[in-house]
Amino acid sequence: MTRFHRIATWPVLAALAFPVAAAATDNAHRIASIERGLRPAQALAGAPVPLSTLEGEMHRLHVPGLSIAVIDGGRLAWAKGYGVVGPGGGPVTPETLFQAASISKPVAAFGAMTLVQSGKLDLHADINTQLRSWKLPAAFGGAPVSPLQLLSHTGGLNVSGFPGYAPGMPVPTVLQVLDGAAPANTAPVRMTSPPGGAWQYSGGGYTVLQQLMIDVAGQPFETIMQTRVLAPLGMPSSTFSQPASAAILGKAALPHDSAGTPYAGGPSTYPELAAAGMWTTPSDLARFVIGVQASAAGRSKVLTQENARRMLAAVRNDYALGFETAGSGAAASFAHGGSNRGYQNYLFGYVDGGRGAVVMTNGDAGDEVARATMRAIAAEYGWPSYQTVLRAAVPIDAVMAQQMTGKYAIPGLGDFDITVQDGQPMFWIKAGQGERLYRQSATRFFVLSQQLELRFDALPGDTGQIVAGPFDVRFRRVP
């Protein structure tokens, strides 16, 4: 979770061109239904599910551009772009590049599994016996960390995410990132809890994985990924090249803050390639989803069925090796979100049945519209999951609402605020984007935009859990 502290006016609405498309005629009715059928993650029981339009939500959330690719019947069914790459820029098309952000992680994980398959990487061995250029400092009595634990965020490592390096800033090497040495802008990657214990999201762990893959393969990370994943899965527009070349920037959607203001200088650089450094399109990521599905079905030579199924098997908190997982049987799915400076994205696919979708945006507030679009796709295609959840709410009196107000910290991840508006508590995890908190029970509260719960230990009180997908972490009120 990330807090964004930027508020300004919406500068590019007049430039939006709706729609900008490259889609087959026989999908036109489905596309139109999706464009006017965005819906919330949760809705109040007993009331109609509120629908909104894609154009309206992009306007409301100040998201300049958005791109979609839909998978149906095991193939890329259609792809379409909306809005613009930036002020005065051209339209977003299916060929427009976006930073994948943390969706880089499952793609890197797939690459790691090909190294496991070829015998170059031992999934269960101590990483320090396989690393050559760097070693993870010992902690907790010398407890070893395995590649499997890095991939599943169970290695006990810190550094949840990376802020990137704005244009003009010096960019560290991977080894400098791992040791937190200048000019790195994050802490050293270290064990902060015993490996194999609690689930702890760690981009730092994926950066260790990046160096591990380089060491065991004897090649640059970009080469490993190009030869083992991107080329074999037919992803011609994708690259792990950082910083972005002129050729990449010429095809890229430019990053914008939560008010729709472009970031000065353009995209940030992410040397943490495995964690956040991929450039791609929704269509290429759809081909990646199809490749994972084909491997899981035993129809691919890139990754065996055994290794693909191992990759998709949850380890802890419904997180597998690079993917969030959910459901069972026909509803078994894999997914991942991505959040870099100015980019918000979401990838989703079913293990079986050849269905899924990818949505990418070039705005800090794009996550909400990306997920609402995914729910519109789910509704249109009759998916067994990713539907709006109906929830009953009980009243919140003014005294309780006032008792909840304050700033709360989530160690290592950020913070959020609770304020009161018209006598009701408001939840703020992004500047300028507050939403009402609804009460489920004595100490449990929820919002409608996402499947997120605040579970207070007691009320009045200062501590509790925040639960959203695989994230199940403590929070505490701060002065």
Side-chain angles (χ1 to χ4, degrees):
M1 296 174 189
T2 306
R3 173 180 290 278
F4 300 103
H5 297 283
R6 295 172 288 274
I7 303 175
T9 58
W10 173 239
V12 296
L13 174 62
L16 286 179
F18 283 87
V20 175
T25 304
D26 59 356
N27 287 310
H29 69 287
R30 288 192 178 277
I31 294 169
S33 179
I34 290 164
E35 290 169 350
R36 60 176 181 262
L38 275 64
R39 56 204 67 208
Q42 305 189 115
L44 298 179
V49 175
L51 301 182
S52 55
T53 67
L54 179 56
E55 180 178 3
E57 286 300 275
M58 289 176 67
H59 178 195
R60 180 179 72 86
L61 295 166
H62 311 313
V63 176
L66 179 146
S67 188
I68 305 171
V70 171
I71 304 153
D72 193 44
R75 64 182 181 88
L76 177 57
W78 57 270
K80 187 171 181 179
Y82 300 82
V84 294
V85 300
V92 172
T93 74
E95 289 72 43
T96 300
L97 295 171
F98 294 78
Q99 285 190 352
S102 286
I103 296 177
S104 304
K105 292 180 176 71
V107 182
F110 192 95
M113 292 304 292
T114 69
L115 291 171
V116 171
Q117 184 166 285
S118 63
K120 292 182 179 293
L121 181 64
D122 188 330
L123 197 57
H124 301 285
D126 183 350
I127 58 172
N128 277 344
T129 66
Q130 304 176 77
L131 283 161
R132 302 287 180 266
S133 305
W134 181 86
K135 303 291 183 183
L136 180 67
F140 300 99
V145 175
S146 69
L148 183 145
Q149 291 167 335
L150 297 179
L151 288 162
S152 60
H153 299 296
T154 58
L157 273 63
N158 62 344
V159 188
S160 61
F162 297 101
Y165 298 84
M169 293 179 62
V171 178
T173 65
V174 176
L175 296 182
Q176 287 173 324
V177 171
L178 292 174
D179 283 328
N185 58 10
T186 47
V189 179
R190 299 292 186 263
M191 268 190 282
T192 56
S193 62
W199 187 85
Q200 182 174 316
Y201 190 82
S202 175
Y206 266 76
T207 308
V208 175
L209 177 74
Q210 177 179 330
Q211 189 60 53
L212 177 60
M213 292 171 66
I214 292 168
D215 286 354
V216 300
Q219 296 176 308
F221 186 78
E222 304 95 301
T223 302
I224 296 168
M225 297 305 297
Q226 178 63 37
T227 58
R228 290 180 168 270
V229 182
L230 305 182
L233 296 185
M235 302 168 66
S237 298
S238 301
T239 179
F240 279 85
S241 177
Q242 292 276 350
S245 65
I248 290 173
L249 294 176
K251 301 176 182 177
L254 300 178
H256 296 72
D257 67 17
S258 58
T261 303
Y263 281 108
S268 292
T269 295
Y270 293 82
E272 308 90 358
L273 302 178
M278 185 183 186
W279 283 95
T280 189
T281 65
S283 294
D284 265 16
L285 284 178
R287 295 180 184 104
F288 170 68
V289 170
I290 293 167
V292 172
Q293 293 167 333
S295 296
R299 300 193 308 267
S300 173
K301 295 180 179 179
V302 183
L303 198 64
T304 66
Q305 184 176 35
E306 177 186 3
N307 282 315
R309 293 283 173 173
R310 183 189 301 183
M311 183 180 177
L312 295 171
V315 176
R316 187 156 295 138
N317 282 38
D318 292 328
Y319 199 95
L321 307 187
F323 284 117
E324 300 171 18
T325 64
S328 60
S333 65
F334 55 94
H336 212 287
S339 175
N340 275 4
R341 191 185 76 147
Y343 299 94
Q344 296 281 330
N345 317 304
Y346 200 67
L347 171 153
F348 178 86
Y350 285 101
V351 176
D352 301 307
R355 294 167 295 173
V358 181
V359 184
M360 308 188 81
T361 77
N362 64 336
D364 274 340
D367 179 69
E368 186 174 341
V369 67
R371 292 177 187 257
T373 301
M374 195 70 73
R375 286 186 290 273
I377 295 167
E380 175 61 28
Y381 282 87
W383 290 354
S385 56
Y386 224 89
Q387 303 290 333
T388 298
V389 176
L390 301 180
R391 301 186 67 163
V394 296
I396 302 174
D397 62 48
V399 173
M400 175 178 287
Q402 195 61 47
Q403 290 172 340
M404 296 169 64
T405 61
K407 181 180 292 293
Y408 297 82
I410 310 168
L413 292 176
D415 54 55
F416 63 89
D417 294 313
I418 297 178
T419 64
V420 174
Q421 182 175 308
D422 298 327
Q424 295 300 309
M426 297 288 291
F427 176 74
W428 302 80
I429 203 163
K430 292 182 180 179
Q433 289 180 250
E435 59 181 312
R436 182 174 169 180
L437 271 172
Y438 293 87
R439 185 184 180 195
Q440 175 181 323
S441 63
T443 58
R444 289 195 176 192
F445 299 82
F446 63 94
V447 295
L448 300 183
S449 69
Q450 57 182 307
Q451 290 186 19
L452 177 149
E453 283 191 7
L454 295 181
R455 301 175 181 176
F456 284 86
D457 295 327
L459 281 176
D462 298 327
T463 60
Q465 299 283 127
I466 187 166
V467 180
F471 289 92
D472 186 349
V473 293
R474 297 290 294 172
F475 66 77
R476 176 179 293 276
R477 196 195 308 252
V478 296

